[in-house]
Amino acid sequence: MVSAVAETYDSAQGPTVPAVPYADPLGDPFLRTRFALPARPATFLRRQRLVDHLDQALRTPLTLLNGPAGAGKTLMAADWAAGLRRPVAWLTAEAEDRQPGVFWAYVLQSLRACGALASDAVAPPADATGVDRRLLAALAAELNDRDRPVVLVLDEYDRVTAPEVAEQLEFVLHHAGRGLHLVLVTRTEPLLPLHRYRAVGELTEIRAAELAFTPEETAALLELHGLSLPVHAARALVDRTRGWAAGLRLFVLAARDSADPELYLKEFEAARSPVADFLLAEVLKGRTEETQDLLLRVSVLERFCPDLANALTLRTDAEPLLAGLCRDNAFVEHLGHSWYQLHPLFGEILRAHLRERLPGLEPELHRRAARWLRSSGFLPEALVHGAAAGDWDFAAGALVDDLAIGQLFTGLRSSDLAELFSRMGPEARSPATDLVRAARDLSRYDLDRGLARLRHAEEGLAEDSPDLAAAQLSCALLEALAARLTGCPPRVEKAAEAADELRQEVPAHLLDKHPELTALLLTHLGSARLWAGRFEDARAVLTTVAGTPGGASTVLPREESMGHLALLDYLNGWLGRAERKALAAVSEAERMGVPQPSGSGIGRLVLAAVAVDRHELGRAQALLDETAQLSSGTRDPVLVAVRSLATARLLLVRGKARAAVEAAGPAVSAAEASPWATSHETLVTSAAHLAEGRPDRAAEVLQGVSGDQSACVAEAAAIQLAAGRPKAAIDLLDSIRPDGRTGPAVTVGVALVRARAAQGEGDTATARRLVAQALLDARRERLRRPFLDAGAWIGPLLATAPLDELAAGWLTPGSPRRGEHPRPESPPSPLVAVELSGRERDVLERLARMMSTEEIAADLYVSVNTVKTHLKSVYRKLAVNRRSDAVRRARDLRLL
């Protein structure tokens, strides 16, 4: 080979050091374009956050820009390099650089081109296939002696695949010291020992996630192309493209020619766009036939592992192929634990390509995926692929056999499952599909259709094989729900007994895996017992559900059970307990991320009833309005009854007696009447008669009040006394059996009735003593309604000492002690559960210690503005406007 180096000659000394070479060791002239910084188009967007990161990267000897094709690596590096005030050597690698001699010849030439290396400093390699170590040592020494470090950018470094080149590059980088800063721009992981550089803090990495465009950057890019879109539209585009630079630019260019750019960017078909051409050419083309086939088949999956991919390809080579694709940044992303996913655009394009190259195969791939996922324990994904294959018998069977039918009612995926099975056609005719249809109907309160399908499923199961414990247990769950909705407690008890027997036949791991099934069953049982008036039996079951573990899967049964427990406390006269449990019910769903309002809304309905008794009428109405949509169409008798109760009592307070009677009437028919629901309906009707001047009729109606309901008996006694029947009133009070379950609302009502009777007999001292007792009990609960309903007789008593002091500040205006300013009325409770963050609690605790904003800031080592932000949040959550009110409200809710 003729040397490509021009030598100078001295007649006395012979050849001297080589002059600047004009060709590489292969004899080809150097391509100057490989040393030039790539030109940035007019629509190039400088992203300052990346420029700043690269500036900071100059503190480390090695910087890695690693991302897929079209990630914007090269233009970003070129834009940054153009702004540096130090020598920058740029080299765009080519396939020929696999040969060490060619690679180093170009590196030396790039260093000379930027003036970082004198022409005679290092002799160029003469052999394309190898490089003398003395050349590398000389280069490292020359760079190490520099006063000003040089930045060497190796673009497209993924084309340099020779291990010896990587070793040589590491040698030069190490021995060049501070004289060299190396920037590698690559699609793949370089062969350098990156772990060593990471360990000592000598590596800066900028990878695909950081290279991705943010919504704000996307909006700015659109502006550069003459498109103005709102941030939400830009964010949607980023979500679909994952901020991939080339994809964004190609779609923006296409959108610019569209009549409606925003609509185009929202609805574009990736498979029929320039992006498809780019990805197929850059990623798919050139891959082996096996790799292309693998990519096409896994495109039907959201995520995949090697074994799942093998199940689709019917081969065993997925593991090395996927690892290679991930290393190559070929739009295959590693999720950890051997799981991968495709970039969403790439997956969309591959699916379209699959339908063209292998028509008709897609359903079979979904079917294979569903079976593998089912056998491997990935039920949610198995259901999705079973549905995509149109195999509804498989999908419904998997749901039932896995004991997961309860997930149609509870959990964060319940709406997704309902939507998935809504596509099931009538051609699916197995017992499992009938069970799923029945569950969907019952969840929508379609009792007639749900029961018909449940009976059909039971008939099919009777004719099937005997190993059907999971399906029969699912039937028991649906039987319990249907019986609860029809108001038939004995049928619920029977279904629960059957479920207890069937649980012994079901594998324990399935019951542990799906705690929601047992939680739902017990919730139905507890609700039915509450409806039947068996309060303590109901409390025992519901308390068990409230303490059920299981996270999101049991969130709605826990919320429902807490709401029912709150109702039990309310019906027994414990307003404070009822409020706390109802707030906990609402908080439980919020804590698990369930969209609000959720479930049946029974917790909020109990809060509304409590608000009426506290005379917080605006809050009561707001809560009723908030739950109106949730309870519309419901057939749950307990839910209907508590809504009717709260609504009717609110209407009575507002003087709308006829409307109250109508609201109290049963909105749904129940197989068995509820003693407490009937009693409360009777009380509303009686109160309406009394309000309209029919005391005799009011007294007659009270015969329908159950003697087992102490709270109802106390209210009935008040009506009897108001109707002029003191003996009947006292007889009713004497029939109340004192026990620990009776709450302040009952004792207050009883005390006020006895006080009025005593006042009527001229025994003012006894009346005053009983009113004082009632005030003490009521003040803790903020129970105002019994006093406001008591009538004119109580006013003069409340105006005398010491009763005026007991009533002041919460029931009547005025100061509790002489010389003190009047205390404002306690503000209403917040409409949702109070859930304060840790920092908000810190601020609130210091607020209670009378610390100033500045003192709180100093104590917590935060700014005054931060404290003010937390205070605003606390005020909002507690529904107050002042510090003193916030502290008082927090103490009421036991947050302090």
Side-chain angles (χ1 to χ4, degrees):
M1 177 185 297
V2 179
S3 174
V5 179
E7 293 183 349
T8 58
Y9 187 87
D10 184 280
S11 58
Q13 309 254 345
T16 61
V17 293
V20 178
Y22 59 84
D24 64 23
L26 295 175
D28 297 325
F30 285 115
L31 303 174
R32 295 184 180 181
T33 54
R34 293 181 60 186
F35 308 127
L37 292 179
R40 277 83 68 205
T43 54
F44 172 77
L45 176 69
R46 166 175 272 228
R47 295 187 279 166
Q48 194 60 45
R49 62 181 177 88
L50 296 176
V51 173
D52 292 343
H53 196 172
L54 283 170
D55 285 340
Q56 295 168 7
L58 291 173
R59 301 169 188 167
T60 60
L62 178 60
T63 297
L64 179 67
L65 270 72
N66 185 304
K73 307 179 298 294
T74 296
L75 289 180
M76 190 261 295
D79 179 62
W80 167 74
L84 290 178
R85 295 182 178 178
R86 63 176 68 189
V88 177
W90 183 281
L91 174 61
T92 301
E94 298 284 358
E96 291 75 14
D97 294 342
R98 287 192 293 262
Q99 300 184 76
V102 176
F103 173 78
W104 285 106
Y106 266 95
V107 170
L108 292 173
Q109 190 65 11
S110 69
L111 291 168
R112 293 190 185 100
C114 75
L117 195 65
S119 60
D120 58 353
V122 180
D127 182 6
T129 61
V131 174
D132 192 287
R133 193 170 186 82
R134 286 176 297 179
L135 181 152
L136 301 175
L139 173 59
E142 183 72 17
L143 293 172
N144 191 43
D145 289 341
R146 287 185 55 82
D147 295 330
R148 297 179 64 203
V150 62
V151 176
L152 173 60
V153 182
L154 299 180
D155 188 28
E156 305 281 5
Y157 183 73
D158 46 277
R159 296 173 176 172
V160 182
T161 57
E164 57 267 36
V165 171
E167 292 175 9
Q168 294 159 359
L169 190 60
E170 183 192 1
F171 174 85
V172 172
L173 180 61
H174 176 69
H175 291 287
R178 295 183 177 274
L180 175 64
H181 180 83
L182 179 62
V183 180
L184 299 181
V185 183
T186 176
R187 296 184 188 181
T188 64
E189 288 292 288
L191 296 176
L192 295 174
L194 298 181
H195 60 281
R196 276 191 246 156
Y197 288 94
R198 285 194 196 100
V200 295
E202 294 185 345
L203 171 64
T204 298
E205 298 177 80
I206 299 177
R207 294 185 176 268
E210 189 173 353
L211 291 168
F213 273 66
T214 66
E216 293 74 20
E217 290 168 346
T218 301
L221 180 67
L222 292 166
E223 290 282 353
L224 284 173
H225 286 79
L227 297 176
S228 179
L229 293 182
V231 176
H232 72 84
R235 184 172 288 109
L237 186 58
V238 169
D239 289 343
R240 191 166 178 193
T241 62
R242 298 265 179 91
W244 176 47
L248 286 171
R249 178 169 170 76
L250 290 170
F251 283 128
V252 168
L253 289 173
R256 196 166 57 178
D257 298 329
S258 171
D260 188 341
E262 185 174 352
L263 183 63
Y264 175 85
L265 291 174
K266 182 180 179 181
E267 300 180 354
F268 65 81
E269 293 184 55
R272 302 182 183 278
S273 69
V275 175
D277 299 332
F278 180 94
L279 286 175
L280 292 175
E282 291 288 331
V283 182
L284 199 61
K285 186 179 178 183
R287 302 282 172 186
T288 64
E289 185 177 335
E290 291 78 11
T291 301
Q292 290 191 31
D293 181 67
L294 172 73
L295 286 170
L296 290 173
R297 290 170 184 257
V298 298
S299 69
V300 304
L301 303 167
E302 288 291 323
R303 63 175 191 140
F304 44 89
C305 62
D307 287 343
L308 176 53
N310 286 334
L312 269 60
T313 63
L314 304 181
R315 302 196 309 268
T316 58
D317 57 357
E319 187 169 2
L321 293 180
L322 291 173
L325 287 165
C326 191
R327 274 196 311 272
D328 292 349
N329 267 322
F331 292 85
V332 176
E333 303 162 2
H334 188 229
L335 300 175
H337 304 289
S338 299
W339 284 89
Y340 301 85
Q341 68 179 5
L342 294 174
H343 185 286
L345 281 179
F346 192 37
E348 190 177 337
I349 291 164
L350 285 173
R351 283 191 293 277
H353 209 51
L354 169 69
R355 292 165 193 141
E356 291 178 5
R357 286 180 53 172
L358 299 168
L361 183 62
E362 192 171 356
E364 176 58 26
L365 294 176
H366 282 297
R367 194 170 289 107
R368 293 179 193 174
R371 278 157 174 71
W372 187 91
L373 290 162
R374 172 80 176 93
S375 64
S376 301
F378 299 101
L379 179 67
E381 291 160 287
L383 298 179
V384 170
H385 287 287
D391 194 344
W392 295 108
D393 289 341
F394 168 85
L399 186 76
V400 172
D401 291 344
D402 204 71
L403 215 61
I405 199 166
Q407 292 184 358
L408 284 165
F409 301 95
T410 181
L412 299 181
R413 296 185 57 256
S414 57
S415 59
D416 292 337
L417 275 178
E419 193 280 329
L420 178 77
F421 282 103
S422 69
R423 305 196 298 268
M424 182 166 59
E427 68 281 356
R429 303 290 295 174
S430 67
T433 57
D434 283 331
L435 273 176
V436 170
R437 289 190 183 98
R440 290 188 63 244
D441 291 335
L442 292 174
S443 69
R444 299 194 300 265
Y445 306 112
D446 189 344
L447 282 173
D448 293 338
R449 183 177 294 183
L451 283 169
R453 284 174 166 163
L454 180 57
R455 298 291 171 259
H456 197 266
E458 289 170 339
E459 291 170 5
L461 290 172
E463 299 170 0
D464 218 320
S465 61
D467 187 19
L468 294 169
Q472 290 168 343
L473 188 51
S474 299
C475 284
L477 170 66
L478 300 184
E479 283 282 3
L481 172 58
R484 168 189 170 182
L485 295 179
T486 54
C488 187
R491 276 181 49 208
V492 179
E493 296 282 352
K494 183 179 179 182
E497 291 173 5
D500 283 339
E501 295 177 6
L502 289 166
R503 269 197 290 265
Q504 310 306 315
E505 302 176 28
V506 173
H509 75 274
L510 284 182
L511 291 170
D512 293 339
K513 183 179 176 182
H514 294 291
E516 71 275 359
L517 186 133
T518 300
L520 287 166
L521 266 166
L522 293 179
T523 301
H524 302 330
L525 181 60
S527 181
R529 287 177 176 177
L530 192 158
W531 178 251
R534 296 168 54 193
F535 285 2
E536 295 312 303
D537 291 339
R539 188 185 302 278
V541 173
L542 293 167
T543 301
T544 300
V545 181
T548 299
S553 68
T554 58
V555 61
L556 289 183
R558 292 201 307 272
E559 180 188 7
E560 290 284 290
S561 65
M562 290 179 190
H564 279 73
L565 288 169
L567 176 58
L568 284 171
D569 283 333
Y570 175 79
L571 294 174
N572 281 328
W574 296 95
L575 268 64
R577 292 181 186 177
E579 180 186 45
R580 287 191 291 275
K581 286 189 175 72
L583 288 172
V586 178
S587 177
E588 182 71 12
E590 287 181 339
R591 186 173 62 85
M592 298 306 303
V594 177
Q596 294 298 308
S598 65
S600 66
I602 188 170
R604 284 177 166 83
L605 290 175
V606 172
L607 289 175
V610 169
V612 172
D613 287 355
R614 289 176 172 169
H615 200 62
E616 297 168 355
L617 306 186
R619 180 170 185 255
Q621 187 62 63
L623 285 161
L624 288 170
D625 293 343
E626 193 176 331
T627 57
Q629 185 176 0
L630 287 176
S631 54
S632 63
T634 183
R635 296 288 297 272
D636 185 343
V638 171
L639 186 66
V640 172
V642 68
R643 181 173 186 82
S644 298
L645 167 63
T647 303
R649 292 174 77 89
L650 179 60
L651 289 169
L652 274 177
V653 172
R654 288 176 168 169
K656 301 177 180 180
R658 284 298 91 200
V661 172
E662 292 177 8
V668 294
S669 59
E672 295 190 6
S674 167
W676 61 267
T678 302
S679 294
H680 279 284
E681 180 188 349
T682 299
L683 287 171
V684 170
T685 304
S686 178
H689 284 304
L690 188 64
E692 293 176 343
R694 294 185 294 275
D696 292 340
R697 182 62 183 143
E700 290 174 13
V701 169
L702 290 176
Q703 294 177 0
V705 174
S706 170
D708 295 331
Q709 310 295 318
S710 297
C712 295
V713 172
E715 288 193 37
I719 294 174
Q720 288 279 22
L721 188 57
R725 302 187 178 191
K727 185 178 184 308
I730 298 302
D731 289 344
L732 280 173
L733 296 184
D734 291 342
S735 70
I736 296 177
R737 295 188 299 272
D739 56 43
R741 295 190 294 270
T742 301
V746 178
T747 60
V748 167
V750 169
L752 289 178
V753 171
R754 292 190 184 278
R756 184 174 183 178
Q759 181 80 346
E761 294 175 357
D763 188 353
T764 303
T766 299
R768 287 165 58 82
R769 177 178 57 79
L770 290 168
V771 170
Q773 175 191 328
L775 286 169
L776 287 171
D777 288 345
R779 185 169 62 180
R780 290 193 300 270
E781 302 279 312
R782 302 200 312 280
L783 178 61
R784 302 179 179 92
R785 198 66 250 157
F787 298 93
L788 300 176
D789 291 340
W793 68 273
I794 200 169
L797 287 178
L798 293 178
T800 61
L803 300 183
D804 58 343
E805 292 187 5
L806 292 176
W810 69 275
L811 180 59
T812 63
S815 58
R817 293 186 181 91
R818 293 187 180 184
E820 287 187 356
H821 293 292
R823 288 181 58 187
E825 182 180 349
S826 298
S829 305
L831 295 184
V832 296
V834 176
E835 196 71 23
L836 299 181
S837 69
R839 186 56 86 189
E840 288 168 352
R841 284 179 179 271
D842 291 340
V843 171
L844 186 60
E845 288 168 1
R846 285 156 179 80
L847 207 64
R849 288 186 248 155
M850 304 299 290
M851 294 174 68
S852 69
T853 304
E854 291 74 15
E855 289 170 334
I856 295 173
D859 196 44
L860 294 177
Y861 298 98
V862 297
S863 70
V864 172
N865 285 337
T866 299
V867 173
K868 289 180 178 178
T869 299
H870 288 313
L871 282 175
K872 288 180 182 177
S873 180
V874 169
Y875 292 168
R876 175 180 56 78
K877 291 182 178 180
L878 295 178
V880 298
N881 296 311
R882 295 187 297 182
R883 288 175 165 231
S884 57
D885 292 342
V887 173
R888 189 177 301 113
R889 185 72 188 117
R891 284 178 174 145
D892 287 342
L893 293 174
R894 299 188 179 181
L895 296 174
L896 289 173

